[in-house]
Amino acid sequence: MKRFKAMVSLFAMTMTGCYAAYYDPYYYDYAYYDPYWYGYDAYYAYSWVDPYGVYYFSAPVTAQVDVNAAATAIADRANTYYTPAGCAGAVASGSTVTYNFNNCSGAFGLNSVSGTVRLELSENNGQLVLVATSTDLTAGGRPYILDLNAVATRSGTQRVVTMTSRSRSPDTADSRNEQITMNWEQGSGCVTMNGQGGSTRGDVTTTATVSGFQRCENQCPTAGKVTVESKDGAFTTEFNGSSTATVTGPNGDTKRYELNCP
C-alpha cells in the first residue's frame, strides 16, 4: 500500500508540473545569437553608410546619388574600418564593391572575418540602396552567411539604415528574417537598433523582438532587450555593458553566455 501511495504521489507531481519543464536549447541560444547577428550586420552597414553625406552624397538630399562614386569611396575607405591594416581588400567596379577579408576585426562584435562579400549599390529617390551577399564567409571563427538588403537616409549628421536581414550562422539557424532599423550620429562609433522577425531550425520556430539595442566601438552592448517568443513562452535577455548575457526562460530558469567584447 505504501508503495502504491508513493507511485500515486509521483504521478500527481508529474501531472501538476512539479518537475522542471524542458525547453529546446535553441530558444535560449537564439536570444543570444540574434543580437550578435544584429551587431555583425550593423557593422557592415555602418562601414558603408557612416561617410554617407560626407564623402559621396550629392547635395541637396533630393539629388541623385552617384552610385559609382559611392562604390569607389566605400572601397577606398575599407581599411579605415577593419584591422589589421590591409586585411580588407576591397575593389570597386562600377556600382559594385567586392571585399576579400583575411582575418579582419571590426566592431560591434564582428571579428575574425575571412571570405568574400559582394556589395551592390543603387539609388532610389536620393536614397542609397545596398544589397550584400557573401561567399565562404566566416565570422568569429564560424561560417556566416551575409544576406542583407538596406536603405540609407540622412538628416544632417543623423544616419538611419533600414535593413532586411537573412544573415545567420548556418550551423545555428536554418533560416532567419529580421526587419531592423539602425540609427546613429555620423562618426560617433555608436548605434542603436530596433527590430523584429524570426528564425527556424529544423521544426523549431521562433519570433524575436530586439528593442533599444546599443553597440559602440570597443565596448560590450550597453543597453537593450531581446525577447524570443516560442510555443513554450518567452525567453528574454537584457544588456547593460556587462561581458555576459543571461537568458531567462518562461519558468525562471536561466542560461548564461559569455560575450565576445572588451
Side-chain angles (χ1 to χ4, degrees):
M1 177 61 85
K2 289 182 178 180
R3 177 177 291 183
F4 175 75
K5 288 182 178 179
M7 292 178 64
V8 170
S9 177
L10 178 62
F11 177 76
M13 290 173 65
T14 303
M15 294 302 291
T16 56
C18 292
Y19 286 98
Y22 171 79
Y23 302 121
D24 192 299
Y26 181 68
Y27 299 140
Y28 291 94
D29 290 347
Y30 195 67
Y32 164 71
Y33 284 117
D34 194 36
Y36 243 111
W37 298 335
Y38 267 63
Y40 287 0
D41 287 341
Y43 195 67
Y44 285 116
Y46 181 86
S47 72
W48 304 327
V49 179
D50 189 52
Y52 184 43
V54 177
Y55 301 104
Y56 54 76
F57 189 80
S58 300
V61 173
T62 55
Q64 185 176 12
V65 178
D66 183 341
V67 292
N68 290 354
T72 298
I74 289 172
D76 288 347
R77 293 184 59 79
N79 277 293
T80 302
Y81 293 95
Y82 296 95
T83 58
C87 74
V91 177
S93 177
S95 59
T96 299
V97 181
T98 301
Y99 290 83
N100 286 295
F101 291 103
N102 183 15
N103 198 28
C104 294
S105 291
F108 308 162
L110 184 64
N111 64 80
S112 302
V113 179
S114 294
T116 302
V117 168
R118 178 183 175 90
L119 174 65
E120 297 180 1
L121 280 64
S122 60
E123 181 270 342
N124 184 17
N125 293 326
Q127 297 178 327
L128 187 63
V129 180
L130 310 106
V131 177
T133 55
S134 64
T135 303
D136 298 328
L137 188 67
T138 60
R142 304 176 66 176
Y144 188 70
I145 296 171
L146 180 65
D147 186 354
L148 186 66
N149 292 53
V151 177
T153 58
R154 62 127 180 177
S155 177
T157 58
Q158 292 296 313
R159 305 288 180 263
V160 178
V161 177
T162 56
M163 299 182 278
T164 297
S165 174
R166 294 166 294 276
S167 305
R168 69 193 190 280
S169 294
D171 58 351
T172 302
D174 295 332
S175 69
R176 175 175 176 265
N177 194 308
E178 299 274 351
Q179 308 299 315
I180 304 166
T181 299
M182 177 174 76
N183 59 79
W184 71 97
E185 181 84 12
Q186 193 272 328
S188 68
C190 292
V191 301
T192 300
M193 291 170 278
N194 295 277
Q196 58 185 3
S199 71
T200 63
R201 190 185 67 178
D203 59 357
V204 178
T205 300
T206 68
T207 60
T209 301
V210 175
S211 56
F213 184 51
Q214 296 180 2
R215 294 233 56 168
C216 295
E217 295 176 344
N218 303 315
Q219 295 183 33
C220 293
T222 53
K225 181 177 181 179
V226 180
T227 302
V228 173
E229 297 285 352
S230 73
K231 64 181 181 60
D232 296 322
F235 296 76
T236 63
T237 187
E238 297 189 39
F239 300 94
N240 59 9
S242 169
S243 61
T244 62
T246 300
V247 180
T248 303
N251 65 349
D253 284 353
T254 61
K255 186 174 180 180
R256 183 177 176 180
Y257 298 84
E258 295 294 328
L259 302 177
N260 183 16
C261 59

